[in-house]
Amino acid sequence: MNPGIKVVLGVTGGIAAYKGAELARKLMELGLGVQAVMTRNAEKFVTPLTFEALTGSPVIRAGLPEPGDDPMPHISVPRSASLMVIAPATAGIIGKMANGIADDTLSTMLLAADIPVIMAPAMNPAMYANQAVQENIARLKTRGVRFVGPSAGEVACGETGEGKLAPVEDIVSAVKEALNLKTDMDGLNVVVTAGGTREPIDAVRYIGNRSSGKMGVAIASAALRRGATVTLISGAMDVEPPTGVAFTQAMTADEMLNAVGEAFKTADMLIMSAAVGDYHVNGRSGGKVKKKEDWTISLAPNPDILMEMGKRKESQTLVGFAAETERAEEHGLEKLRNKNLDVVVINDVSRKDIGFNSDFNEVTIITKSGAVEKIPKSPKTTIAGKILDTALAVRDGSKPRT
Ligand code: C5P
């Protein structure tokens, strides 16, 4: 999965390491990709499997890489990420970073990283108050490292004072601030469809299409990051649905119509990026049809889900896609009008370097008021952001002025 923004979560050895797991989950729910890195001591408190299960990626552990692993994770991992968060941060990792000591994977990564770093210290209050620790923190602050907490209270050893890991929500807020995440979709219910439908021919064969689901997943992740509540309804996809979405699988156009129809009732925005098959098989066989010389299959049209939602539309913002091979803009505009859309995203599927199964796309976005924006070849994650920007602008523009 490529959710666009990746955060490296460093977990060091303290009793609060289990809260690192909660943090990983919360970051994933924001539509962020999380790469966990654990120190040897962290593994004494929580297993790497916990983080692997939560983040969906193998944990980077202390020690030298095994044959076949990335030989230089300390360089490549922070380069592919936007932020490092160390939670909990022990006096040890703070001291190492402040003094340029690189003696395991995480401390080496911290020195190699050219991205913002957030540290959430957790330790015994006497240790936290120690002048050496305080000097190390002060030094790191002057170098731009952001600190969240610690908070005051009873710590694991039974003593009371400043040394508790800051509340996970506070660390999440610091991450949002550091990444400059927009909150302009707070409170919005967004329904996104993705992937391709599959219409059964018999018990084993189907008619499908080439959609990978990447565009829809990028939109769902971007909407999550901006604060929306996201429902993802998908057919077949090559990618995983992002953590944090309410996910429904709908393999046929009929199933998708039902799922979208239900979700549409409480939606503020529907973005139909699924490639819905236009036909289903008439008189589908329940068993497997035996091989034969000739086989003529008769097809009947599927419901047009988007057109149907266009009819049912009240205050929802409706975004549709138009995959075209010729006269793309003209055909896209026609769809916008026929299906009562607010925004249409047109892509030229005759090109091999973008579109289907690619991480890139090049689109033209047209709004119902005729504004045209051409987005040059860009990652689908960037295009997702532009689509949401436009949909929000149209939505705000159509609200009655007070
Ligand atoms: O008419 P066309 O299939 O090109 O329209 C594409 C748009 O309509 C996409 O947003 C797609 O998700 C949606 N669509 C639909 N139901 C169909 C076919 C397409 O909702 N049966």
Side-chain angles (χ1 to χ4, degrees):
M1 187 186 65
N2 174 14
I5 301 183
K6 196 161 95 184
V7 174
V8 177
L9 173 62
V11 184
T12 63
I15 188 74
Y18 75 96
K19 294 217 180 127
E22 193 187 332
L23 176 62
R25 174 88 202 163
K26 290 266 185 293
L27 297 178
M28 298 283 295
E29 284 172 1
L30 279 179
L32 299 168
V34 177
Q35 172 63 66
V37 182
M38 295 179 81
T39 61
R40 249 184 215 98
N41 285 338
E43 289 192 23
K44 303 243 165 69
F45 292 91
V46 193
T47 69
L49 197 60
T50 305
F51 284 91
E52 189 166 327
L54 288 171
T55 63
S57 344
V59 170
I60 298 175
R61 303 169 65 179
L64 293 173
E66 299 286 332
D69 288 350
D70 175 355
M72 280 186 248
H74 60 291
I75 308 288
S76 58
V77 170
R79 272 193 197 154
S80 66
S82 306
L83 178 72
M84 281 190 78
V85 184
I86 314 300
T90 55
I93 196 74
I94 293 169
K96 284 186 203 175
M97 191 185 181
N99 294 286
I101 296 168
D103 65 350
D104 70 354
T105 313
L106 183 60
S107 53
T108 311
M109 216 175 256
L110 278 168
L111 292 198
D114 194 15
I115 49 178
V117 176
I118 293 175
M119 284 191 154
M123 65 196 80
N124 169 281
M127 285 172 73
Y128 182 67
N130 186 291
Q131 203 176 337
V133 174
Q134 288 302 316
E135 280 173 17
N136 285 336
I137 290 175
R139 189 187 265 189
L140 288 175
K141 280 185 179 166
T142 64
R143 295 186 199 143
V145 175
R146 294 164 221 211
F147 281 81
V148 186
S151 39
E154 193 179 335
V155 294
C157 52
E159 290 177 27
T160 303
E162 230 179 334
K164 263 171 88 82
L165 183 76
V168 169
E169 307 81 73
D170 291 4
I171 307 174
V172 171
S173 300
V175 168
K176 281 186 176 170
E177 204 181 301
L179 291 174
N180 222 345
L181 294 187
K182 292 183 188 162
T183 52
D184 53 0
M185 297 190 87
D186 259 347
L188 286 186
N189 252 330
V190 177
V191 179
V192 182
T193 66
T197 55
R198 286 180 175 176
E199 298 294 346
I201 300 171
D202 62 12
V204 293
R205 304 174 177 99
Y206 61 81
I207 300 176
N209 60 59
R210 291 175 54 201
S211 173
S212 65
K214 285 180 180 172
M215 191 66 242
V217 165
I219 294 170
S221 294
L224 277 177
R225 283 199 291 275
R226 290 164 80 152
T229 302
V230 181
T231 302
L232 178 65
I233 299 170
S234 97
M237 296 201 295
D238 297 341
V239 285
E240 291 293 316
T243 303
V245 299
F247 180 66
T248 304
Q249 186 140 55
M251 289 307 260
T252 65
D254 250 349
E255 283 169 20
M256 194 172 274
L257 175 64
N258 287 338
V260 171
E262 202 44 47
F264 194 65
K265 291 179 190 162
T266 51
D268 297 300
M269 192 179 279
L270 168 65
I271 304 176
M272 271 303 293
S273 80
V276 185
D278 291 319
Y279 298 93
H280 65 271
V281 175
N282 255 334
R284 150 188 185 206
S285 159
K288 184 183 172 194
V289 176
K290 286 270 170 256
K291 222 188 275 185
K292 45 189 164 185
E293 277 296 299
D294 264 335
W295 184 8
T296 306
I297 296 171
S298 143
L299 301 177
N302 274 336
D304 190 311
I305 303 168
L306 195 52
M307 177 105 69
E308 183 54 38
M309 297 309 129
K311 287 181 196 151
R312 296 185 200 172
K313 185 163 99 171
E314 290 168 2
S315 60
Q316 296 94 333
T317 307
L318 213 50
V319 181
F321 277 71
E324 305 292 342
T325 50
E326 57 189 23
R327 293 193 298 167
E329 243 175 75
E330 192 185 317
H331 288 148
L333 253 176
E334 241 169 57
K335 263 169 213 171
L336 182 133
R337 295 206 186 97
N338 291 344
K339 302 193 187 193
N340 192 19
L341 308 183
D342 296 283
V343 178
V344 67
V345 182
I346 305 165
N347 56 343
D348 181 345
V349 287
S350 62
R351 282 177 54 179
K352 292 240 164 6
D353 57 330
I354 52 171
F356 292 129
N357 212 17
S358 160
D359 288 328
F360 290 83
N361 212 347
E362 182 177 310
V363 301
T364 303
I365 305 177
I366 307 186
T367 69
K368 64 179 175 194
S369 57
V372 178
E373 192 181 0
K374 285 182 193 297
I375 316 287
K377 185 176 168 185
S378 322
K380 283 184 175 168
T381 48
T382 308
I383 301 214
K386 297 272 185 200
I387 294 170
L388 294 181
D389 288 347
T390 311
L392 276 182
V394 170
R395 190 177 169 78
D396 290 344
S398 57
K399 269 195 199 144
R401 304 203 186 274
T402 45

